[in-house]
Amino acid sequence: DAKTTQPNSMESNEEEPVHLPCNHSTISGTDYIHWYRQLPSQGPEYVIHGLTSNVNNRMASLAIAEDRKSSTLILHRATLRDAAVYYCILYNQGGKLIFGQGTELSVKP
Amino acid sequence: GAVVSQHPSRVICKSGTSVKIECRSLDFQATTMFWYRQFPKQSLMLMATSNEGSKATYEQGVEKDKFLINHASLTLSTLTVTSAHPEDSSFYICSASKGPLDSNGYTFGSGTRLTVV
C-alpha cells in the first residue's frame, strides 16, 4: 500500500483557515486521495476525496498537486469542533483503507 | 448518506468470556466490511476484511481463532472476541463499503470500547 506522510500535529486559531499537508510521493495512477478525521472516542468521519482535480464540499477543500505527489486539506474557517486527528489516505477501489499516524489538529479560541 | 451502526458502544466483560460486536449498514448494502482496533493515542490498525458469504481475510498477526468474524448478510457483520483477556481491551471500529467500484471510500461505525477485567 502506498504511504502518506503528515506532520504529527498542527495548531490553528479559531475562525482562521487551516492548511493540512500530506505527501504521497509513491501514489499510483489509480489511487484516490481520501481524508478522514477522528474526534476523540469516535469512529473516523469522511471529509473529502479526490483523484486529480481540486475538490470542494461543505466541510473542506482538497488541493491536489499537479504531479499528485502531495495534497492539502483546507479548512476555510476552523472552529473548536474541527479539533481532531486528520488522516490522509491513499485508496484504490476495491482495496483497503490503511491509516497512518495522521495530524492532530488543535484549535485555539 | 451512508450510515453504519455499531453495537454496543461500550462493554465490560470478565477475562475468559466472549464478546460479540455488531456492525450494521443501515441504508445501503455492504459487500465488504472492515474491522479495526485502536489503542489509546495510536492510529487505527486494520484487523480483517469481511466479505458477505465468504470467509474473512485477516491481516498478518491477527489471530483468526480469537477474533471470529461473520458476515452473514449484506447489512450485518459481527466480530466476536473469544476468551477475552485484559490485553484485548481496546477500541474496536467497523467500517463498510458499498463495493469495489465505490470511490467514496468507507463509512465508519462509532466504535465499541471493550474493557476486559
Side-chain angles (χ1 to χ4, degrees):
Chain A
D1 299 298
K3 292 189 175 178
T4 63
T5 304
Q6 299 176 252
N8 289 332
S9 62
M10 290 185 66
E11 276 190 357
S12 170
N13 293 317
E14 197 175 12
E15 298 193 2
E16 289 186 357
V18 182
H19 290 234
L20 297 165
C22 181
N23 288 318
H24 28 78
S25 57
T26 59
I27 190 170
S28 74
T30 54
D31 283 335
Y32 286 79
I33 302 161
H34 280 243
W35 284 82
Y36 291 78
R37 71 180 187 181
Q38 186 179 26
L39 279 64
S41 298
Q42 294 187 28
E45 172 189 29
Y46 167 80
V47 178
I48 200 167
H49 80 282
L51 184 61
T52 56
S53 303
N54 294 342
V55 185
N56 299 297
N57 67 21
R58 64 176 179 80
M59 290 181 69
S61 295
L62 176 61
I64 301 172
E66 199 168 328
D67 62 6
R68 301 211 324 129
K69 293 186 176 182
S70 65
S71 61
T72 303
L73 179 69
I74 302 166
L75 306 180
H76 296 286
R77 288 184 64 192
T79 70
L80 297 178
R81 291 186 298 177
D82 290 323
V85 179
Y86 287 78
Y87 297 98
C88 168
I89 303 170
L90 300 183
Y91 174 65
N92 205 303
Q93 288 182 349
K96 301 180 268 193
L97 265 183
I98 303 297
F99 285 76
Q101 291 306 306
T103 296
E104 184 170 12
L105 175 67
S106 57
V107 181
K108 295 184 289 185
Chain B
V3 178
V4 171
S5 173
Q6 192 172 336
H7 179 81
S9 57
R10 290 179 179 272
V11 59
I12 300 173
C13 72
K14 290 187 177 179
S15 194
T17 62
S18 296
V19 173
K20 181 185 285 188
I21 302 169
E22 291 188 349
C23 180
R24 293 181 185 272
S25 56
L26 297 186
D27 51 359
F28 67 99
Q29 293 185 328
T31 57
T32 306
M33 289 186 172
F34 301 85
W35 288 95
Y36 296 82
R37 68 188 297 184
Q38 185 177 33
F39 293 108
K41 300 293 184 184
Q42 294 187 24
S43 185
L44 284 76
M45 183 193 80
L46 180 65
M47 298 175 68
T49 303
S50 167
N51 297 297
E52 187 268 336
S54 64
K55 288 184 179 179
T57 305
Y58 291 82
E59 295 298 303
Q60 192 171 10
V62 178
E63 299 174 60
K64 64 174 103 174
D65 294 331
K66 180 166 187 60
F67 299 100
L68 300 179
I69 292 172
N70 183 277
H71 192 159
S73 77
L74 286 172
T75 59
L76 174 65
S77 176
T78 60
L79 167 68
T80 301
V81 182
T82 63
S83 187
H85 288 97
E87 57 264 32
D88 298 324
S89 299
S90 188
F91 192 50
Y92 292 87
I93 307 166
C94 71
S95 69
S97 166
K98 293 180 184 178
L101 299 181
D102 182 19
S103 64
N104 291 314
Y106 304 3
T107 303
F108 288 81
S110 54
T112 297
R113 177 81 55 194
L114 170 64
T115 303
V116 184
V117 298

